[in-house]
Amino acid sequence: MSKAVNVELELPSHKGEKSTGRIRKKNEELIINAAKEEFADKGYHGATIDSIARRAGLPRPNVHYYFDNKLQLYAEILSIIIDLWDDALNDLDPAEEPAVALREYIERKMAFSRRYPLDSRIFAKEILSGAPRLETYFQRGYRVWFERKTRVFHEWTEQGKMDAVDPAHLMFLIWSATQHYADFETQINAAMGVSELDDKAFARATETVVTVILKGIGVS
Amino acid sequence: MSKAVNVELELPSHKGEKSTGRIRKKNEELIINAAKEEFADKGYHGATIDSIARRAGLPRPNVHYYFDNKLQLYAEILSIIIDLWDDALNDLDPAEEPAVALREYIERKMAFSRRYPLDSRIFAKEILSGAPRLETYFQRGYRVWFERKTRVFHEWTEQGKMDAVDPAHLMFLIWSATQHYADFETQINAAMGVSELDDKAFARATETVVTVILKGIGVS
DNA sequence: GCAAAAGTTGACACAAATGTCAGATTGTAG
DNA sequence: CTACAATCTGACATTTGTGTCAACTTTTGC
């Protein structure tokens, strides 16, 4: 509670960055990527600036030159992640056929888990901690935003295109199933006896999720 | 890597505890419960012994009297969690009807998420970090253990009692969907616009998960 | 090419957390 | 009720991490 800083409050930034030099750009990127690994691995508290600096190949004070402090760097990263997700996962279109739209949506979420596992894990850890640094994000209209996301299920149900399944919980089911492949990768790999899922294995995972969920809500 | 201590190596303990006094028992429990909250909230690194001591209502050196160091305390808790899960979630019985057995299994997992959210979150955070303190757990026969868990799906499929769905990924789907309600509680509550899911809302969640998954694999 | 701006870095001061220890207190077996 | 074991706790030493600063170097606009 004490230091519950919020991304939106602290950082409307990163879109209207003063686009100074290209050195700045290069180094900020270097630092952010290093920080993502570090935060995903160790969490906010466990990550150290020193370790981030080492990963980025820079001396520690140099990191402070670009980012005032750890919290700001972390908040910046959360902000980037949220924007990334918002941009890439546009709404389901009620006009489309559920079988097509939903399959595409799930495939996209799975592709995300595969391409951006670090981002997914950082976000997951934040929520697991009770999202103290995303307070406003989860208050400012999140309920409404979510309601809009799930309204499409309602419409499809009314049009008889799918079973009458609780829209909110269906959405949670989709999110959990797909994000699981990023967040619990360690456990999955151990269970499958591999060091990572190759393309074929991942496609098989995607197909399973799509098949079960589509059939589960009465969509062919 | 450096300090990748493993639960099994460090702590075959906690079952064969030297059951000294009842004072010990009481205080150890006090500390463990306080530590669970702290670890679930802040993660391994973010948790401080001082904070744990305060939650437990004890002076800090007293915590050290019962647990040598933070890692040992954490490992002890991981060990407890794993035992708890193993004990409570026995295998699916191939002889039973899938509709009955699976429904019961999912309901039990959901009940777990509701009753032991802290435990679920601690475990989730550990895996998210790459499970550095569960290395042996995920190596020593985990693959085999998991294979045994999923074999039942194979059998049901062969008996024509359910669709031919990839057993491993079906298991992941069930695990992710059910654990989601413990791990992502913050997000779920925000989405639903409540401070917590009451019994009725949680029952609705359970019913949705059961319904979709059972139907999704062709089980009535 | 040369000032001003941007970037780099070693050294420092400070804060937070860990784990230890010795002496005091409390509980318990006989 | 006494001696021994178990428990408690204030004080300390050490480590680790943060953030600042001033001096130095490089880049850039003109």
Side-chain angles (χ1 to χ4, degrees), chain A residues 51-101:
Chain A
S51 187
I52 291 169
R54 245 179 295 119
R55 280 196 211 243
L58 299 171
R60 196 168 59 78
N62 208 340
V63 173
H64 277 106
Y65 177 72
Y66 291 105
F67 298 91
D68 284 358
N69 53 50
K70 192 163 110 169
L71 185 57
Q72 191 192 99
L73 173 55
Y74 180 73
E76 172 80 16
I77 286 174
L78 279 186
S79 171
I80 290 173
I81 292 173
I82 288 171
D83 285 1
L84 178 72
W85 285 42
D86 274 2
D87 286 357
L89 291 170
N90 26 10
D91 291 6
L92 285 158
D93 182 356
E96 272 193 277
E97 276 308 301
V100 178

Side-chain angles (χ1 to χ4, degrees), chain A residues 125 129 163 166 204 215, chain B residues 125 129 163 166 204 215:
Chain A
K125 275 199 171 159
S129 293
D163 294 352
D166 186 296
R204 191 174 172 80
K215 178 165 184 177
Chain B
K125 275 198 170 160
S129 294
D163 295 350
D166 186 295
R204 192 174 172 80
K215 178 165 184 177

Side-chain angles (χ1 to χ4, degrees), chain A residues 92-93 95-108 156 161 210 214 217 219-220:
Chain A
L92 285 158
D93 182 356
E96 272 193 277
E97 276 308 301
V100 178
L102 252 182
R103 163 177 287 273
E104 207 228 333
Y105 184 77
I106 292 173
E107 285 175 349
R108 218 164 4 166
W156 281 338
K161 291 181 171 173
V210 169
L214 288 200
I217 61 175
V219 160
S220 43

Side-chain angles (χ1 to χ4, degrees), chain B residues 6-213:
Chain B
N6 283 285
V7 172
E8 287 77 4
L9 290 176
E10 293 291 320
L11 280 173
S13 66
H14 121 260
K15 32 191 74 167
E17 202 71 48
K18 50 183 168 182
S19 60
T20 328
R22 57 172 215 312
I23 293 184
R24 176 172 217 96
K25 189 158 198 172
K26 185 197 66 180
N27 280 345
E28 281 182 352
E29 208 175 298
L30 223 49
I31 292 168
I32 286 201
N33 286 334
K36 275 189 184 179
E37 291 178 29
E38 185 73 1
F39 284 131
D41 251 36
K42 312 265 186 62
Y44 175 71
H45 295 284
T48 72
I49 310 243
D50 195 61
S51 188
I52 290 170
R54 246 179 294 121
R55 280 197 211 242
L58 299 170
R60 195 168 60 80
N62 208 340
V63 173
H64 277 106
Y65 177 72
Y66 290 105
F67 298 91
D68 285 356
N69 53 49
K70 194 162 107 170
L71 185 57
Q72 190 192 98
L73 173 55
Y74 181 74
E76 171 80 16
I77 287 175
L78 279 186
S79 171
I80 290 174
I81 291 174
I82 287 171
D83 285 0
L84 178 72
W85 284 43
D86 274 2
D87 286 356
L89 291 169
N90 26 13
D91 290 6
L92 285 158
D93 182 356
E96 270 193 279
E97 276 307 301
V100 177
L102 252 183
R103 161 176 289 271
E104 209 228 333
Y105 184 77
I106 292 173
E107 283 175 350
R108 218 166 2 165
K109 282 234 64 169
M110 287 292 281
F112 243 71
S113 279
R114 189 154 174 74
R115 205 185 322 266
Y116 306 106
L118 296 184
D119 301 68
S120 181
R121 277 175 217 152
I122 292 168
F123 196 72
K125 275 198 170 160
E126 179 63 23
I127 294 176
L128 272 167
S129 294
R133 280 144 301 219
L134 287 176
E135 254 178 23
T136 55
Y137 173 69
F138 278 132
Q139 271 159 18
R140 238 193 283 199
Y142 188 76
R143 213 213 150 308
V144 172
W145 173 87
F146 182 72
E147 212 277 314
R148 199 165 53 74
K149 286 273 173 200
T150 54
R151 195 172 309 148
V152 55
F153 296 139
H154 226 289
E155 295 184 29
W156 282 338
T157 299
E158 282 185 341
Q159 292 164 22
K161 290 181 173 176
M162 60 171 268
D163 295 350
V165 171
D166 186 295
H169 295 299
L170 172 57
M171 193 54 109
F172 296 146
L173 178 58
I174 293 170
W175 285 355
S176 65
T178 53
Q179 285 167 208
H180 195 72
Y181 285 89
D183 301 343
F184 286 72
E185 195 187 341
T186 301
Q187 187 180 27
I188 288 171
N189 290 344
M192 308 285 275
V194 300
S195 66
E196 66 170 335
L197 294 189
D198 60 26
D199 286 351
K200 191 174 287 181
F202 204 83
R204 192 174 172 80
T206 303
E207 196 49 41
T208 304
V209 174
V210 170
T211 304
V212 173
I213 292 183

